[in-house]
Amino acid sequence: MTMRTVLSRGLGALALMSLVHAAPALASDGQGRLQVKALATAVLPDGKIDKVNADLVGLPANTQTQANDNVVPTLAVEYFFSPGLSVETICCMTQHDVDGTTGLPGAELVSDAKLIPATVTLKYHLNTGGISPYIGAGPAYFLFIGEDPGAATVALGVDKLTLSNELGVVLQAGVDVPLNGRGLALSLDAKRYFIGTTARWYDGGVKVIETEHDLDPWVLSAGLGVRF
């Protein structure tokens, strides 16, 4: 089963479940339609090489890579269509290096790749009257800006690196825990993205290496939300 199939079925299931909660007005339970969250987020990518498409420098046959983890602030904005159904988007930027693990152990191949994970999820809330677990799914677009070739590739003469922007999907689960009667809540959230990228290294305009990478990061967040 492809991730596209999983996503379409998951969104359909979320929409079906939301019918149970679609009738009551949000005003009836004193909750607003908008929730804003300030979160600390750990971004835990994979970064392994899935395929080598071009290699003019003679990489070792067992070359493999790993992207480093990072912790960044995140802003999440969520709109409730009904007590049980909402849509959420996040705003953050994370930065990563990619280093060799086998074949070129410790070699820096990608330096300071800045990533904006544009994300929208449709969420279904399992309990709207108190502590509220939720599940969600949606599309995500990884936009890379400002990536540089790592020190190990610069030493080989590489002067340019590009990472492709890619569309993928994200699955989500978490819980909102009310802290008072004025909309303040503790939020714990976990997302798993299914997205890759293609890395291309150039020397004087000539592509010398092209590799496809699985990113597929876990994104784990904790923080406070206010609903109004």
Side-chain angles (χ1 to χ4, degrees):
M1 182 181 296
T2 66
M3 286 309 305
R4 182 175 296 179
T5 301
V6 171
L7 176 60
S8 61
R9 291 183 180 180
L11 291 176
L14 288 174
L16 181 62
M17 289 186 291
S18 71
L19 295 177
V20 177
H21 296 280
L26 289 169
S28 66
D29 58 14
Q31 294 180 318
R33 289 188 177 270
L34 191 65
Q35 183 166 249
V36 178
K37 298 177 180 179
L39 306 163
T41 297
V43 183
L44 315 175
D46 187 335
K48 70 179 181 181
I49 296 174
D50 181 59
K51 185 178 180 181
V52 177
N53 296 327
D55 176 16
L56 300 184
V57 302
L59 294 172
N62 64 336
T63 297
Q64 194 49 266
T65 58
Q66 173 69 51
N68 73 294
D69 302 335
N70 197 9
V71 177
V72 297
T74 302
L75 182 68
V77 179
E78 185 172 5
Y79 181 82
F80 284 80
F81 299 105
S82 71
L85 185 68
S86 66
V87 63
E88 181 180 72
T89 186
I90 62 171
C91 177
C92 76
M93 182 170 69
T94 181
Q95 181 173 298
H96 301 273
D97 296 337
V98 178
D99 298 330
T101 55
T102 59
L104 296 170
E108 184 186 56
L109 306 179
V110 176
S111 176
D112 299 333
K114 300 175 183 65
L115 168 62
I116 299 175
T119 304
V120 177
T121 55
L122 182 67
K123 297 169 63 178
Y124 175 70
H125 301 260
L126 305 177
N127 175 25
T128 61
I131 296 176
S132 180
Y134 58 80
I135 55 175
Y141 187 73
F142 276 13
L143 176 64
F144 287 95
I145 57 175
E147 62 269 26
D148 296 314
T153 57
V154 170
L156 296 174
V158 170
D159 54 22
K160 181 182 178 182
L161 164 73
T162 64
L163 297 173
S164 64
N165 303 325
E166 298 288 347
L167 180 67
V169 299
V170 57
L171 303 178
Q172 179 183 26
V175 62
D176 292 327
V177 182
L179 298 179
N180 61 25
R182 298 184 297 276
L184 183 66
L186 171 67
S187 180
L188 303 175
D189 184 88
K191 297 182 182 71
R192 179 69 188 274
Y193 290 81
F194 297 89
I195 302 181
T197 188
T198 299
R200 300 178 177 93
W201 289 263
Y202 297 85
D203 180 358
V206 177
K207 182 175 66 178
V208 293
I209 305 173
E210 180 179 291
T211 54
E212 297 180 18
H213 296 256
D214 291 329
L215 298 179
D216 296 350
W218 281 97
V219 176
L220 309 177
S221 301
L224 296 176
V226 178
R227 187 165 171 180
F228 50 92

